[in-house]
């Protein structure tokens, strides 16, 4: 018999987000900080709430939470409405699923992130379920936490899984394959030919069309051109807002709060192509512009402008995003923000499917380590971001499960130094679990890096310039 | 090692034992209160116990042949490679069973499978790859950067797994290859993926032709397809000898034979296999405690198999890419163009966890091997941080246990001697467990 109180990660989150969904924005605006002050929430969730309810980001946070609530509750109510829940990895463009009436998307990595941020125990109990089945401990916590909950049999069960990590990530592909077999549900694939000459891209377009046909058959629904156009038009609006935020990040000091980096790809991986994503991103742009106009920055000076090469850390929002901000370390985005979307031509079904294929091809991870050369595509993107955003350092989080990025991080470091002269800090930790490296250790390493490398590097440049001036 | 092979007869001559000083049915030493050793408590497949130290087998000049195989399989640039190179032949390295070696051989080039030979040294490689990458790949990279593979004229990369890709990228970045070709192998089989792979093979063929300066002819490819079909038949025959009720060779020997094949001209290996099969058809290895199937990650560690067998677990069959997965399912299927034929032979029969929709095929493959070789238990290994095997082994274990087949799942560091003691203990415990179950 299913327990009355939710025990699975999805069910617990859905219960929390139902409250967010029901409460009006002004109430949330007051209730959030109050909850933190009164300590009426699990201690583990306080860090995320503190970070989200910080005055300079609160409005965007509430939009983001409302969006997440819509996303989850849509999936929660899917079966009642005769719809199917399709579980996706983060590197699949969920807007395609939004265009179907009979399907609702859920993204396993986003569920894990929300669970880690908001639940007592930070989702580790679900990780333990997977380990209990004999899974190796070097799997990716980003999917294994959520999928551990699914495997426990006490949470929601997706109706199908789309796997779009083949070509980009073995861990992601394998855990989704395992879950599909374990639960006995269909798995659909979008494999990426690791070929950058144009031929691979053509094949990828074919694969995407095959996938659409398979989904149509599975859902017993023909993809409607008008519905698709409506979603793609909204996706295009999201794209415009993405580039506005990207441009705002270029200002010195950065007017974009650090946590917006997470919100941007949070939108990308959940509700891209919907009104709630547009609203969240518009709020972020507005806040960024206001702060730019007022030259607002949380610290006395911006000491370091950091691009994070791959993921950030998610088990302590406040200790990570806000701590950096208070120190004067701007988070200009991480690898998951580097998806550089293109506007989709909405002329007809064909152009739109082609546009979705292009979006999928450019999703983070697929675009970089799913490239012909893992190091080449990744280095190109990171170096591009460093140059465009005026970053003065790069930090690689070293999420221990990212074997593809770990395997070419040394090449990234070498190319970054050669091409830009910027230093790379390589950390080691698990982005979703505190049990590997505590936040305090990561903070110490970041601080030492900025103090001893980044700041001194700038100091040396200033000295050289002064000497040159004196000589003149 | 279980097969003591060439123990001397009591009359001092070499040859098949004429008498068995410890006849079948002898009570195990431990039961008699004697000290337990690696060879005590050994059970034959027919259920009778023996003392294997006294089990004597002779067969012609088998010792010389086996010593030679051991030597050649344990040397990177072995005599065959040296001979090939000194004759002006070119050699291309590859790392994965998804590489159609027939095409390479048809170009007149020696396909050479890069491996780590049980070397656990990774200091140089660790400056490029990381500690979070599988130690097999780190060991291969170490050897590559040390110059052990400098005799290779180039490298063929396949997208076998993230670690292998990283290994090749770092090798290429740090040292470069004279010739390099990236053969992309789909991870899902469907008609479009098959068509893509056919196209890839066409590009591969063209690249090989440009490398040698001579286009690769259809006839040459067909001939190599035929030859490799014969080699695969021979290997199946050899496995038949290994898997039968009274096995004719140990797992350690079978691995050594296989490894020689990955580093020899196919025509030479074909001849060698004939000799080996002839020598071992009437042979019988020593006694053992249990018949095992070994499956999992890239395992070219002869020492590891030796450890398994040293404690009494005879590896009578395997599900390794340095083993049955590389040949067992591949049957010649000549129709269409050579590329179409090779695409079908390889893609339809790629028993590897990198294939993401083919778990039922892998499950059926192991079920069939378990049944065919009448194994008492299955040992599934994966190198630390090997994701594809790490997850697949869990699925296979679950499926096997459901069928009542005992499974030992091991995570290990490649080639690490420090790991061997721990492995040995676990294997011994497993053998106790499956022994007790009978």
């Amino acid at each position: 018999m299913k327990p009355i109180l939710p025990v699975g990660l999805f069910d617990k989150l859905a219960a929390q987000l139902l409250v967010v969904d029901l409460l009006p924005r002004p109430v949330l605006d007051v209730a959030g900080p109050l909850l933190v002050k009164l300590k009426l929430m699990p201690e583990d969730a306080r860090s995320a709430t503190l970070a989200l309810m910080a005055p300079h980001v609160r409005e965007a946070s509430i939009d983001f939470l409302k969006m997440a609530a819509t996303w989850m509750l849509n999936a929660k109510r899917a079966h009642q409405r005769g719809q199917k829940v399709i579980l996706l990895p983060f590197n699949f463009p969920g807007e395609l699923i939004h265009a179907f009436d009979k399907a609702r998307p859920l993204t396993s990595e986003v569920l894990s992130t929300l669970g880690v941020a908001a639940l007592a125990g930070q989702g580790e109990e679900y990780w333990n379920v997977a380990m209990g089945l004999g899974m190796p401990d070097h799997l990716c916590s980003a999917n294994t936490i959520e999928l551990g909950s699914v495997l426990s049999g006490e949470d929601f069960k997706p109706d199908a899984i789309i796997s779009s990590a083949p070509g980009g990530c073995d861990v992601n592909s394998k855990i989704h394959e395992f879950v599909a077999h374990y639960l006995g549900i269909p798995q659909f694939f979008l494999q990426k030919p690791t070929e950058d000459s144009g031929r691979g891209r053509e094949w990828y377009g074919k694969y995407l069309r095959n996938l659409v046909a398979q989904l149509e058959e599975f859902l017993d629904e023909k993809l409607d051109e008008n519905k698709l156009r409506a979603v793609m038009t909204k996706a295009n609006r999201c794209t415009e807002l993405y580039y506005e935020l990207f441009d705002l990040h270029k200002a010195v000091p950065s007017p974009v709060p650090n946590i917006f980096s997470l919100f941007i790809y949070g939108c990308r991986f959940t509700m891209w192509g919907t009104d709630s994503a547009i609203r969240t991103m518009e709020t972020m742009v507005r806040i960024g512009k206001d702060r730019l106009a007022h030259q607002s920055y949380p610290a006395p000076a911006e000491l370091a402008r950091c691009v994070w090469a791959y993921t950030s850390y998610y088990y302590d929002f406040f200790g990570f995003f806000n701590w950096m901000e208070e120190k004067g370390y701007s988070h200009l985005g991480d690898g998951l923000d580097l998806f550089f979307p293109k506007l989709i031509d909405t002329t007809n079904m064909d152009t739109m499917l082609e546009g979705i294929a292009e979006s999928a091809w450019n999703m983070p991870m697929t675009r970089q380590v799913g490239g012909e050369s893992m190091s080449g595509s990744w280095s190109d993107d990171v170096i591009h971001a460093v140059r465009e955003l005026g970053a003065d350092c790069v930090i690689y989080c070293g999420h221990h499960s990212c074997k593809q990025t770990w395997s070419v991080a040394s090449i990234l470091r070498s190319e970054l130094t050669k091409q830009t002269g910027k230093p790379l800090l390589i950390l080691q930790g698990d982005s979703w679990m505190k049990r590997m490296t505590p936040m305090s250790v990561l903070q110490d390493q970041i601080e030492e890096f900025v103090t001893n490398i980044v700041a001194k590097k700038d100091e040396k440049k200033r000295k050289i310039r002064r000497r040159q001036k004196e000589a003149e | 090692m279980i097969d003591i092979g060439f123990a001397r007869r009591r009359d001092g001559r070499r040859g098949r034992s004429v008498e068995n000083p410890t006849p079948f049915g002898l009570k195990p030493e431990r039961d008699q209160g004697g000290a337990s050793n690696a060879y005590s408590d050994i059970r034959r497949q027919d259920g009778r116990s023996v003392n294997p130290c006294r089990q004597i087998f002779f067969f012609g000049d088998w010792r010389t042949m086996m010593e030679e195989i051991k030597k050649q399989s344990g040397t990177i640039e072995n005599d065959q490679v040296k001979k090939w190179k000194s004759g002006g032949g070119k050699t291309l390295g590859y790392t994965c069973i998804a590489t159609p070696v027939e095409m390479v051989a048809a170009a007149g080039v020696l396909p050479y499978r890069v491996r780590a030979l049980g070397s656990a040294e990774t200091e140089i490689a660790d400056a490029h790859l990381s500690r979070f990458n599988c130690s097999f790949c780190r060991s291969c990279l170490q050897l590559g950067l040390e110059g052990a593979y400098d005799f290779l004229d180039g490298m063929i990369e396949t997208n076998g797994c993230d670690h292998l890709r990283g290994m090749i990228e770092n090798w290429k970045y740090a040292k470069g290859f004279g010739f390099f070709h990236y053969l992309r192998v789909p991870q899902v089989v469907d008609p479009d993926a098959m068509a893509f792979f056919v196209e890839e093979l066409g590009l591969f063929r063209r690249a090989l032709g440009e490398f040698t300066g001579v286009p690769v002819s259809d006839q040459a490819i067909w001939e190599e397809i035929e030859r490799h079909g014969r080699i695969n038949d021979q290997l199946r025959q050899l496995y038949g000898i290994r898997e039968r009720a009274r096995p004719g060779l140990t797992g350690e020997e079978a691995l050594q034979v296989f490894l020689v094949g990955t580093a020899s001209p196919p025509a030479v290996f074909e001849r060698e296999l004939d000799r080996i099969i002839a020598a071992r058809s009437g042979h019988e290895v020593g006694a053992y405690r249990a018949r095992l199937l070994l499956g999992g990650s890239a395992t070219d560690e002869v020492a590891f198999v030796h450890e398994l067998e040293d404690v009494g677990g005879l590896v009578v069959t395997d599900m390794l890419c340095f083993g049955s997965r590389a040949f067992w399912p591949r049957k010649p299927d000549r129709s269409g163009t050579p590329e179409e034929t090779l695409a079908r032979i390889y893609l339809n029969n790629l028993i590897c966890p990198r294939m993401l929709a083919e778990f039922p095929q892998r499950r059926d493959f192991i079920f069939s091997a378990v049944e065919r070789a009448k194994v008492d238990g299955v040992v599934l290994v994966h190198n630390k941080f090997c994701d594809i095997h790490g997850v697949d082994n869990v699925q296979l274990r679950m499926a096997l246990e459901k069928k009542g087949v005992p499974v030992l799942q091991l995570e290990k560091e490649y080639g690490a001697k420090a790991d061997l003691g721990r492995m040995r203990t676990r294997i011994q415990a497993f053998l106790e467990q499956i022994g007790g179950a009978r």
Side-chain angles (χ1 to χ4, degrees), chain B residues 96-99 185-187 189 197 325-326 329-330 344-355 358 361-362:
Chain B
C96 170
I97 56 166
T99 313
V185 185
Q187 289 182 275
V189 187
F197 195 44
R325 278 162 41 197
R330 290 178 185 160
R344 277 196 309 278
I345 291 176
Y346 276 79
L347 207 54
N348 282 340
N349 301 300
L350 203 43
I351 308 288
C352 176
R354 73 176 289 286
M355 302 303 287
E358 318 303 327
Q361 191 186 21
R362 296 192 289 280

Side-chain angles (χ1 to χ4, degrees), chain A residues 132-139 163 165-171 173-175 177-178 181-182 187 189 191-196 199-200 203 206-207 210 214 369-376 398 400-401 403-404 406-411 413-415 418 428-429 436, chain B residues 127-133 157 159-163 165-167 169-170 173 182 184-196 199-200 203 352-360 362-363 382-392 394-395 397-398 409 411:
Chain A
L133 291 173
M135 289 292 187
D137 63 0
H138 46 82
L139 289 188
S163 177
C169 177
D170 285 342
V171 194
S173 307
K174 286 306 288 184
I175 184 75
E177 179 205 25
F178 180 90
H181 279 287
Y182 194 86
Q187 192 182 15
F189 292 93
Q191 60 177 329
K192 189 192 181 196
T194 49
E195 207 270 7
D196 293 343
R199 188 174 66 90
W203 278 103
K206 273 189 198 172
Y207 295 160
N210 289 349
Q214 288 165 3
V369 282
E372 181 158 334
S373 156
M374 297 193 290
S375 59
H400 81 303
S401 178
K403 320 300 189 312
Q404 9 62 319
W406 263 118
S407 72
V408 289
S410 63
I411 301 180
R413 180 178 52 200
S414 174
E415 286 302 308
K418 264 191 229 165
Q428 281 188 14
M436 193 160 172
Chain B
H128 298 269
L129 287 170
S130 76
R131 282 278 168 192
F132 297 106
N133 290 115
E157 179 184 3
N159 45 333
C161 71
D162 292 341
H163 303 267
R165 288 188 69 198
M167 186 260 279
E169 281 211 18
N170 277 285
Y173 189 79
Y182 184 7
R184 299 155 194 95
V185 185
Q187 289 182 275
V188 176
V189 187
D190 61 29
D192 275 332
M194 191 62 84
F196 172 81
E199 231 178 70
E200 275 294 315
L203 294 172
C352 176
R354 73 176 289 286
M355 302 303 287
L356 296 164
E358 318 303 327
F359 176 72
R362 296 192 289 280
R363 184 193 55 209
H382 75 271
N383 293 324
K384 182 82 184 171
F385 301 118
C386 172
D387 304 305
I388 59 172
H389 283 281
V391 175
D392 228 52
V394 179
Q395 293 194 90
R397 174 176 55 76
M398 287 173 165
Q409 207 183 319
E411 182 177 79

